[in-house]
Amino acid sequence: MTACAFESATADGNKWATRPGCAITADGSYAARLALSGESWYPERWTLDGPEPYAVPLPGGQPEEPGTEVQPLADGRVLIHRLVTGRHLFSLLYPAGPGTGELPLGAVDDPGEGARLELLPPAPTGDRAFALAVGPRSTAVWLVAGGTAGPERLAELPGHCTGGVWLDRAGRMLALDRTQDGGPTKTVVVDLARGGEVSPLLQIADGSNDRLLLADPDSGLLLIRSDAPSPGRERLGWGVLGSTLPVRFPDCLRLDGPVTPFAIQPGQVLTPESCAVALRVDGAAGNWIGVWRPAHRRILYLAAPQGWLAGAGLWTREGELRLPFTTDAVRCGVARLEAPVPAVELPAREQGPVRPVPLQQAPLQRTSSRQASPQQAPLQRTPSQQAPSRQTPPHHPPTAQPPTTEPAPHPSVPHQPTPPPRPRKTPASAGITLRRTLTWPRPDPGDTTDTGRSRPPAAPLPTAEAPSALPGPAAVTTPDTTVVTTPVTTVTAAR
């Protein structure tokens, strides 16, 4: 499962980022929030992995402040972050009979005037918790739960950092949006296992502000907000971690109101373009749920459940969206939504963004992404899978005959024995991934800037390299998509 993203709404950060109503562990087993009883705030833990969700209150000796942060761990304990007399105190809460048990972890001094310290999103491992201390000139990453001796500072990097997205399942690679010396905001990766070593992740344009909103470690799908295609106006785009494909900014994601992704469907290892992405769409009529896939050109809108803890939710591997909610009648509830997968209909010269595959694994005919995928194509073609002859009309493919049955001869044509099949020549590029661009996207009418890259004319693949039925490679884009040709930087964790 993929839990909701966590981003803080700050004056110098992403203006559309919002704090979710609760935090959910990466495996989707527990959630925690700050609940309100009358005028008193108290921590509350939700158990989500059972047959029915239920809530356990964890009140302390006195009411909590409204800005107190809570975060669940995979073992059921809840981390609480309090600010008391200029110090940040961390403790673990757990049920203890009729009351609440509390294990103090230690404290971190206030970074200073104009600085802040807040929890990062739940770690993928579930047994640790991290915090980000942002100062006027530098930013520090702290391990506040799961260490050996209280809070521990793991890394410190120059610049003002916001956000926080995990890129792997081990909780080692952390992506932060950094601003240095009044320059543009760029996303960098901090390797927590190598003393906080920093490497760039997003460098779309020299002067663009590029932020990472969400990432899925399984497929490598990245949700990005940048003003590279439209200076002065941020747009939502997507890319694939470690891929040489460009970042895309679909027109269907360019809405007038705030649109914030908060969950990505996990488990789609080889097909990032088929991952379902849950979007929080804020409008005058309230909050809506948008479901979008990179392979499709539109957003499917769903009504948010009453009492939804806005910005919180998770996907299952099977494609079920789970949204926590609370009402006067239901104290702890989870709405389960299944978004249908619409069929993709593309023009004959265009294909959806699919991963390039070797020639011998490519499908013989163009199909929708739901009917067949290049990764499921057979390695060897059976007689029923041979391409139709040129004399056959394209709308009436020949009926496959059993290999042991010989067709009857025509009455007016003397019967002649069928010659043995000629050995098919294997192209020189068989088994090599194609990365040739068939077509280049047309410019977006709303964009007034050049991305800084020249666009060569379109050139079809030679016949010797690919048959006519071979679908285009992943670099082919649809007309409603703006492409920035700088690829996402590959980040490799050292072994």
Side-chain angles (χ1 to χ4, degrees):
M1 299 181 181
T2 299
C4 60
F6 176 89
E7 296 183 76
S8 300
T10 59
D12 52 352
N14 184 358
K15 63 180 180 180
W16 284 353
T18 54
R19 183 185 299 274
C22 71
I24 307 177
T25 57
D27 61 357
S29 57
Y30 293 100
R33 73 183 187 109
L34 203 63
L36 181 64
S37 175
E39 297 181 356
S40 301
W41 296 91
Y42 65 92
E44 188 176 67
R45 187 198 70 185
W46 288 23
T47 301
L48 306 178
D49 58 353
E52 292 292 337
Y54 63 92
V56 176
L58 297 173
Q62 59 184 7
E64 306 292 346
E65 295 294 330
T68 301
E69 293 184 300
V70 292
Q71 186 174 117
L73 300 183
D75 59 3
R77 296 181 295 177
V78 174
L79 174 70
I80 186 168
H81 167 215
R82 303 183 179 102
L83 179 60
V84 180
T85 63
R87 303 191 72 194
H88 297 268
L89 305 180
F90 299 92
S91 299
L92 289 176
L93 307 178
Y94 55 92
T100 301
E102 182 170 346
L103 176 63
L105 298 178
V108 176
D109 293 334
D110 194 355
E113 185 178 358
R116 69 181 188 277
L117 189 147
E118 58 188 16
L119 295 178
L120 285 168
T125 57
D127 59 348
R128 294 176 295 171
F130 299 84
L132 195 67
V134 183
R137 297 183 178 180
S138 64
T139 302
V141 180
W142 285 81
L143 174 65
V144 296
T148 57
E152 177 185 357
R153 187 168 61 181
L154 301 180
E156 185 170 2
L157 56 158
H160 186 86
C161 296
T162 57
V165 178
W166 296 103
L167 300 179
D168 63 340
R169 294 292 183 188
R172 173 179 174 177
M173 311 300 290
L174 176 65
L176 298 173
D177 302 328
R178 182 173 69 171
T179 305
Q180 278 187 285
D181 302 328
T185 301
K186 301 293 183 182
T187 302
V188 298
V189 178
V190 182
D191 190 344
L192 300 180
R194 302 186 63 176
E197 181 178 314
V198 180
S199 58
L201 178 66
L202 293 180
Q203 298 284 349
I204 300 180
D206 292 339
S208 63
N209 295 302
D210 311 321
R211 295 180 174 90
L212 180 62
L213 304 184
L214 208 59
D216 177 52
D218 294 335
S219 62
L221 179 63
L222 306 178
L223 272 298
I224 300 163
R225 195 181 298 281
S226 173
D227 59 358
S230 304
R233 180 179 180 182
E234 294 182 341
R235 292 181 55 179
L236 193 63
W238 69 279
V240 179
L241 183 66
S243 174
T244 59
L245 302 180
V247 175
R248 291 171 170 82
F249 295 88
D251 282 351
C252 65
L253 298 180
R254 185 166 57 177
L255 304 179
D256 294 335
V259 179
T260 306
F262 64 89
I264 301 179
Q265 180 184 359
Q268 315 301 309
V269 179
L270 298 178
T271 55
E273 69 282 346
S274 66
C275 291
V277 180
L279 309 170
R280 173 182 173 178
V281 182
D282 299 326
N287 298 324
W288 287 79
I289 306 296
V291 178
W292 170 79
R293 290 175 173 85
H296 301 150
R297 301 179 182 176
R298 61 188 180 93
I299 300 177
L300 176 65
Y301 293 94
L302 305 174
Q306 182 181 3
W308 175 46
L309 303 178
L314 58 93
W315 285 100
T316 65
R317 292 177 178 269
E318 295 74 21
E320 182 183 67
L321 180 60
R322 299 180 179 178
L323 304 173
F325 70 93
T326 179
T327 62
D328 295 337
V330 181
R331 177 181 176 183
C332 173
V334 175
R336 303 171 184 266
L337 306 178
E338 292 188 4
V341 181
V344 181
E345 297 181 2
L346 298 177
R349 290 288 296 172
E350 297 178 356
Q351 284 287 328
V354 297
R355 186 179 294 272
V357 298
L359 287 178
Q360 59 184 355
Q361 298 181 16
L364 297 180
Q365 296 179 354
R366 298 179 184 270
T367 56
S368 66
S369 60
R370 197 178 179 188
Q371 294 174 347
S373 61
Q375 289 76 15
Q376 298 175 349
L379 296 179
Q380 295 181 356
R381 295 169 178 161
T382 60
S384 62
Q385 295 171 324
Q386 298 295 335
S389 60
R390 295 183 178 179
Q391 290 79 10
T392 304
H395 300 287
H396 299 82
T399 303
Q401 300 293 338
T404 57
T405 304
E406 184 176 357
H410 195 275
S412 60
V413 180
H415 174 68
Q416 296 181 358
T418 302
R422 299 176 59 184
R424 188 174 57 179
K425 296 182 179 180
T426 302
S429 60
I432 301 177
T433 301
L434 292 179
R435 297 193 183 274
R436 187 187 302 270
T437 302
L438 290 180
T439 60
W440 287 84
R442 293 188 289 271
D444 191 350
D447 299 336
T448 59
T449 61
D450 190 3
T451 58
R453 301 273 182 170
S454 61
R455 297 180 175 178
L461 289 175
T463 305
E465 292 187 11
S468 58
L470 179 67
V476 179
T477 56
T478 55
D480 62 343
T481 302
T482 301
V483 175
V484 177
T485 57
T486 302
V488 178
T489 306
T490 301
V491 178
T492 304
R495 297 184 179 272

Short mmCIF file of all heavy atoms in Angstrom, two decimals, residues 71-113:
data_model
loop_
_atom_site.label_atom_id
_atom_site.label_comp_id
_atom_site.label_asym_id
_atom_site.label_seq_id
_atom_site.Cartn_x
_atom_site.Cartn_y
_atom_site.Cartn_z
N GLN A 71 2.13 10.70 14.83
CA GLN A 71 2.47 9.82 13.70
C GLN A 71 2.51 8.38 14.20
O GLN A 71 3.16 8.08 15.21
CB GLN A 71 3.83 10.21 13.12
CG GLN A 71 4.19 9.45 11.86
CD GLN A 71 5.46 9.97 11.23
OE1 GLN A 71 6.46 9.25 11.13
NE2 GLN A 71 5.46 11.22 10.79
N PRO A 72 1.82 7.45 13.51
CA PRO A 72 1.81 6.06 13.95
C PRO A 72 3.05 5.30 13.50
O PRO A 72 3.66 5.63 12.47
CB PRO A 72 0.55 5.50 13.29
CG PRO A 72 0.46 6.28 12.01
CD PRO A 72 0.99 7.66 12.32
N LEU A 73 3.43 4.29 14.27
CA LEU A 73 4.47 3.36 13.89
C LEU A 73 3.84 2.02 13.55
O LEU A 73 2.68 1.75 13.88
CB LEU A 73 5.50 3.20 15.01
CG LEU A 73 6.25 4.47 15.45
CD1 LEU A 73 7.27 4.13 16.52
CD2 LEU A 73 6.92 5.15 14.26
N ALA A 74 4.61 1.15 12.90
CA ALA A 74 4.07 -0.12 12.44
C ALA A 74 3.74 -1.07 13.59
O ALA A 74 2.99 -2.03 13.39
CB ALA A 74 5.05 -0.79 11.47
N ASP A 75 4.28 -0.86 14.79
CA ASP A 75 3.98 -1.73 15.93
C ASP A 75 2.79 -1.25 16.74
O ASP A 75 2.46 -1.84 17.77
CB ASP A 75 5.21 -1.85 16.84
CG ASP A 75 5.68 -0.50 17.38
OD1 ASP A 75 5.03 0.53 17.10
OD2 ASP A 75 6.72 -0.48 18.07
N GLY A 76 2.11 -0.21 16.30
CA GLY A 76 0.91 0.27 16.98
C GLY A 76 1.13 1.43 17.92
O GLY A 76 0.16 2.03 18.39
N ARG A 77 2.37 1.78 18.24
CA ARG A 77 2.62 2.94 19.08
C ARG A 77 2.51 4.22 18.25
O ARG A 77 2.64 4.20 17.03
CB ARG A 77 4.00 2.84 19.74
CG ARG A 77 4.13 1.67 20.70
CD ARG A 77 5.51 1.62 21.34
NE ARG A 77 6.56 1.36 20.37
CZ ARG A 77 7.86 1.32 20.67
NH1 ARG A 77 8.25 1.53 21.93
NH2 ARG A 77 8.76 1.08 19.74
N VAL A 78 2.27 5.32 18.94
CA VAL A 78 2.06 6.60 18.28
C VAL A 78 3.10 7.58 18.79
O VAL A 78 3.24 7.78 20.01
CB VAL A 78 0.64 7.14 18.54
CG1 VAL A 78 0.49 8.55 17.96
CG2 VAL A 78 -0.40 6.22 17.93
N LEU A 79 3.84 8.19 17.86
CA LEU A 79 4.81 9.22 18.20
C LEU A 79 4.09 10.55 18.32
O LEU A 79 3.28 10.91 17.46
CB LEU A 79 5.90 9.30 17.13
CG LEU A 79 6.91 10.43 17.28
CD1 LEU A 79 7.82 10.19 18.47
CD2 LEU A 79 7.72 10.59 15.99
N ILE A 80 4.40 11.29 19.38
CA ILE A 80 3.82 12.61 19.58
C ILE A 80 4.94 13.63 19.70
O ILE A 80 5.98 13.37 20.32
CB ILE A 80 2.90 12.64 20.82
CG1 ILE A 80 2.19 13.99 20.91
CG2 ILE A 80 3.66 12.30 22.09
CD1 ILE A 80 1.06 14.01 21.92
N HIS A 81 4.74 14.77 19.06
CA HIS A 81 5.73 15.85 19.03
C HIS A 81 5.09 17.08 19.67
O HIS A 81 4.12 17.63 19.13
CB HIS A 81 6.16 16.13 17.59
CG HIS A 81 6.92 17.40 17.41
ND1 HIS A 81 6.80 18.19 16.27
CD2 HIS A 81 7.80 18.05 18.22
CE1 HIS A 81 7.57 19.25 16.40
NE2 HIS A 81 8.19 19.18 17.57
N ARG A 82 5.65 17.50 20.80
CA ARG A 82 5.14 18.66 21.52
C ARG A 82 6.22 19.74 21.58
O ARG A 82 7.41 19.44 21.62
CB ARG A 82 4.74 18.29 22.95
CG ARG A 82 3.71 17.18 23.09
CD ARG A 82 3.36 16.98 24.54
NE ARG A 82 2.35 15.95 24.78
CZ ARG A 82 2.63 14.73 25.21
NH1 ARG A 82 3.90 14.39 25.46
NH2 ARG A 82 1.66 13.84 25.41
N LEU A 83 5.78 20.98 21.61
CA LEU A 83 6.67 22.13 21.78
C LEU A 83 6.42 22.73 23.15
O LEU A 83 5.32 23.25 23.42
CB LEU A 83 6.44 23.17 20.68
CG LEU A 83 7.29 24.44 20.75
CD1 LEU A 83 8.77 24.10 20.65
CD2 LEU A 83 6.90 25.42 19.64
N VAL A 84 7.42 22.62 24.03
CA VAL A 84 7.28 23.08 25.42
C VAL A 84 8.47 23.96 25.76
O VAL A 84 9.63 23.51 25.70
CB VAL A 84 7.19 21.88 26.39
CG1 VAL A 84 7.03 22.38 27.82
CG2 VAL A 84 6.03 20.97 26.02
N THR A 85 8.19 25.22 26.08
CA THR A 85 9.21 26.19 26.52
C THR A 85 10.45 26.19 25.64
O THR A 85 11.59 26.05 26.11
CB THR A 85 9.61 25.91 27.98
OG1 THR A 85 10.21 24.59 28.04
CG2 THR A 85 8.41 26.00 28.92
N GLY A 86 10.25 26.30 24.35
CA GLY A 86 11.37 26.41 23.43
C GLY A 86 12.08 25.10 23.12
O GLY A 86 13.14 25.12 22.48
N ARG A 87 11.54 23.97 23.53
CA ARG A 87 12.15 22.67 23.23
C ARG A 87 11.10 21.77 22.58
O ARG A 87 9.91 21.81 22.91
CB ARG A 87 12.68 22.00 24.50
CG ARG A 87 13.69 22.82 25.27
CD ARG A 87 14.34 21.98 26.34
NE ARG A 87 15.25 21.00 25.76
CZ ARG A 87 15.74 19.96 26.43
NH1 ARG A 87 15.37 19.74 27.70
NH2 ARG A 87 16.59 19.14 25.86
N HIS A 88 11.57 20.92 21.66
CA HIS A 88 10.71 19.98 20.97
C HIS A 88 10.84 18.62 21.66
O HIS A 88 11.92 17.99 21.62
CB HIS A 88 11.10 19.88 19.49
CG HIS A 88 10.93 21.16 18.74
ND1 HIS A 88 9.77 21.48 18.06
CD2 HIS A 88 11.76 22.23 18.57
CE1 HIS A 88 9.89 22.67 17.50
NE2 HIS A 88 11.10 23.15 17.80
N LEU A 89 9.76 18.18 22.29
CA LEU A 89 9.75 16.93 23.04
C LEU A 89 9.09 15.83 22.23
O LEU A 89 8.04 16.06 21.60
CB LEU A 89 9.02 17.11 24.38
CG LEU A 89 9.50 18.24 25.28
CD1 LEU A 89 8.68 18.28 26.56
CD2 LEU A 89 10.98 18.09 25.59
N PHE A 90 9.68 14.63 22.27
CA PHE A 90 9.17 13.49 21.54
C PHE A 90 8.92 12.34 22.52
O PHE A 90 9.77 12.04 23.37
CB PHE A 90 10.14 13.05 20.45
CG PHE A 90 10.40 14.10 19.42
CD1 PHE A 90 11.47 14.99 19.55
CD2 PHE A 90 9.58 14.21 18.31
CE1 PHE A 90 11.70 15.96 18.61
CE2 PHE A 90 9.81 15.19 17.36
CZ PHE A 90 10.87 16.06 17.51
N SER A 91 7.75 11.68 22.37
CA SER A 91 7.39 10.54 23.21
C SER A 91 6.60 9.54 22.37
O SER A 91 6.03 9.90 21.33
CB SER A 91 6.56 10.98 24.41
OG SER A 91 7.27 11.88 25.23
N LEU A 92 6.56 8.30 22.86
CA LEU A 92 5.77 7.25 22.25
C LEU A 92 4.59 6.93 23.16
O LEU A 92 4.77 6.68 24.37
CB LEU A 92 6.60 5.99 22.02
CG LEU A 92 7.65 6.06 20.92
CD1 LEU A 92 8.47 4.78 20.86
CD2 LEU A 92 6.99 6.32 19.56
N LEU A 93 3.39 6.94 22.59
CA LEU A 93 2.17 6.64 23.32
C LEU A 93 1.67 5.25 22.94
O LEU A 93 1.79 4.84 21.78
CB LEU A 93 1.09 7.68 23.03
CG LEU A 93 1.47 9.15 23.23
CD1 LEU A 93 0.31 10.06 22.86
CD2 LEU A 93 1.93 9.41 24.66
N TYR A 94 1.06 4.56 23.91
CA TYR A 94 0.51 3.23 23.65
C TYR A 94 -0.58 2.95 24.67
O TYR A 94 -0.57 3.49 25.79
CB TYR A 94 1.61 2.16 23.73
CG TYR A 94 2.38 2.16 25.03
CD1 TYR A 94 2.00 1.36 26.11
CD2 TYR A 94 3.50 2.99 25.19
CE1 TYR A 94 2.71 1.38 27.31
CE2 TYR A 94 4.21 3.00 26.39
CZ TYR A 94 3.81 2.20 27.43
OH TYR A 94 4.51 2.21 28.62
N PRO A 95 -1.56 2.10 24.32
CA PRO A 95 -2.61 1.77 25.30
C PRO A 95 -2.03 0.96 26.45
O PRO A 95 -1.24 0.05 26.26
CB PRO A 95 -3.61 0.94 24.49
CG PRO A 95 -3.27 1.22 23.05
CD PRO A 95 -1.81 1.51 23.00
N ALA A 96 -2.44 1.32 27.66
CA ALA A 96 -2.00 0.62 28.86
C ALA A 96 -3.18 0.48 29.80
O ALA A 96 -3.41 1.35 30.67
CB ALA A 96 -0.84 1.37 29.53
N GLY A 97 -3.94 -0.59 29.60
CA GLY A 97 -5.13 -0.79 30.42
C GLY A 97 -6.15 0.30 30.16
O GLY A 97 -6.42 0.65 29.01
N PRO A 98 -6.69 0.88 31.23
CA PRO A 98 -7.67 1.96 31.01
C PRO A 98 -7.03 3.29 30.65
O PRO A 98 -7.73 4.23 30.27
CB PRO A 98 -8.39 2.05 32.36
CG PRO A 98 -7.37 1.58 33.35
CD PRO A 98 -6.55 0.54 32.65
N GLY A 99 -5.74 3.41 30.79
CA GLY A 99 -5.08 4.69 30.54
C GLY A 99 -4.15 4.63 29.33
O GLY A 99 -4.27 3.79 28.45
N THR A 100 -3.20 5.56 29.32
CA THR A 100 -2.25 5.69 28.21
C THR A 100 -0.84 5.62 28.77
O THR A 100 -0.50 6.36 29.71
CB THR A 100 -2.46 7.03 27.47
OG1 THR A 100 -3.79 7.10 26.98
CG2 THR A 100 -1.49 7.15 26.31
N GLY A 101 -0.03 4.73 28.20
CA GLY A 101 1.37 4.67 28.56
C GLY A 101 2.18 5.63 27.71
O GLY A 101 1.86 5.87 26.54
N GLU A 102 3.24 6.19 28.26
CA GLU A 102 4.07 7.15 27.54
C GLU A 102 5.54 6.86 27.80
O GLU A 102 5.96 6.72 28.95
CB GLU A 102 3.74 8.58 27.95
CG GLU A 102 4.54 9.64 27.20
CD GLU A 102 4.02 11.05 27.45
OE1 GLU A 102 2.90 11.19 27.98
OE2 GLU A 102 4.76 12.01 27.11
N LEU A 103 6.32 6.77 26.69
CA LEU A 103 7.75 6.52 26.77
C LEU A 103 8.49 7.74 26.23
O LEU A 103 8.51 7.96 25.00
CB LEU A 103 8.12 5.27 25.96
CG LEU A 103 9.61 4.93 25.86
CD1 LEU A 103 10.18 4.64 27.24
CD2 LEU A 103 9.84 3.77 24.90
N PRO A 104 9.10 8.56 27.08
CA PRO A 104 9.84 9.73 26.58
C PRO A 104 11.06 9.31 25.77
O PRO A 104 11.77 8.38 26.12
CB PRO A 104 10.25 10.47 27.86
CG PRO A 104 9.35 9.95 28.93
CD PRO A 104 9.06 8.52 28.55
N LEU A 105 11.29 10.01 24.66
CA LEU A 105 12.42 9.73 23.77
C LEU A 105 13.52 10.77 23.84
O LEU A 105 14.65 10.50 23.44
CB LEU A 105 11.92 9.61 22.32
CG LEU A 105 10.92 8.50 22.03
CD1 LEU A 105 10.49 8.55 20.56
CD2 LEU A 105 11.50 7.13 22.35
N GLY A 106 13.22 11.95 24.30
CA GLY A 106 14.22 13.01 24.35
C GLY A 106 13.69 14.27 23.73
O GLY A 106 12.51 14.40 23.38
N ALA A 107 14.56 15.25 23.61
CA ALA A 107 14.17 16.57 23.14
C ALA A 107 15.21 17.11 22.17
O ALA A 107 16.37 16.70 22.17
CB ALA A 107 13.98 17.52 24.31
N VAL A 108 14.77 18.07 21.37
CA VAL A 108 15.63 18.80 20.44
C VAL A 108 15.40 20.28 20.69
O VAL A 108 14.24 20.74 20.78
CB VAL A 108 15.31 18.44 18.97
CG1 VAL A 108 16.16 19.28 18.02
CG2 VAL A 108 15.55 16.96 18.72
N ASP A 109 16.48 21.02 20.81
CA ASP A 109 16.35 22.46 21.05
C ASP A 109 15.74 23.14 19.83
O ASP A 109 15.92 22.71 18.68
CB ASP A 109 17.72 23.07 21.35
CG ASP A 109 18.27 22.58 22.69
OD1 ASP A 109 17.47 22.21 23.56
OD2 ASP A 109 19.51 22.55 22.83
N ASP A 110 15.05 24.22 20.12
CA ASP A 110 14.42 24.98 19.05
C ASP A 110 15.50 25.51 18.11
O ASP A 110 16.50 26.08 18.56
CB ASP A 110 13.64 26.15 19.65
CG ASP A 110 12.69 26.78 18.64
OD1 ASP A 110 12.71 26.36 17.48
OD2 ASP A 110 11.93 27.68 19.02
N PRO A 111 15.36 25.32 16.76
CA PRO A 111 16.40 25.80 15.84
C PRO A 111 16.67 27.28 15.90
O PRO A 111 17.73 27.74 15.46
CB PRO A 111 15.86 25.39 14.46
CG PRO A 111 14.90 24.29 14.73
CD PRO A 111 14.30 24.59 16.07
N GLY A 112 15.75 28.06 16.45
CA GLY A 112 15.98 29.50 16.55
C GLY A 112 14.83 30.29 15.98
O GLY A 112 13.85 29.74 15.45
N GLU A 113 14.97 31.61 16.06
CA GLU A 113 13.91 32.48 15.57
C GLU A 113 13.79 32.36 14.06
O GLU A 113 14.78 32.34 13.32
CB GLU A 113 14.22 33.93 15.95
CG GLU A 113 13.12 34.90 15.58
CD GLU A 113 13.44 36.32 16.02
OE1 GLU A 113 14.52 36.51 16.65
OE2 GLU A 113 12.65 37.22 15.73
#
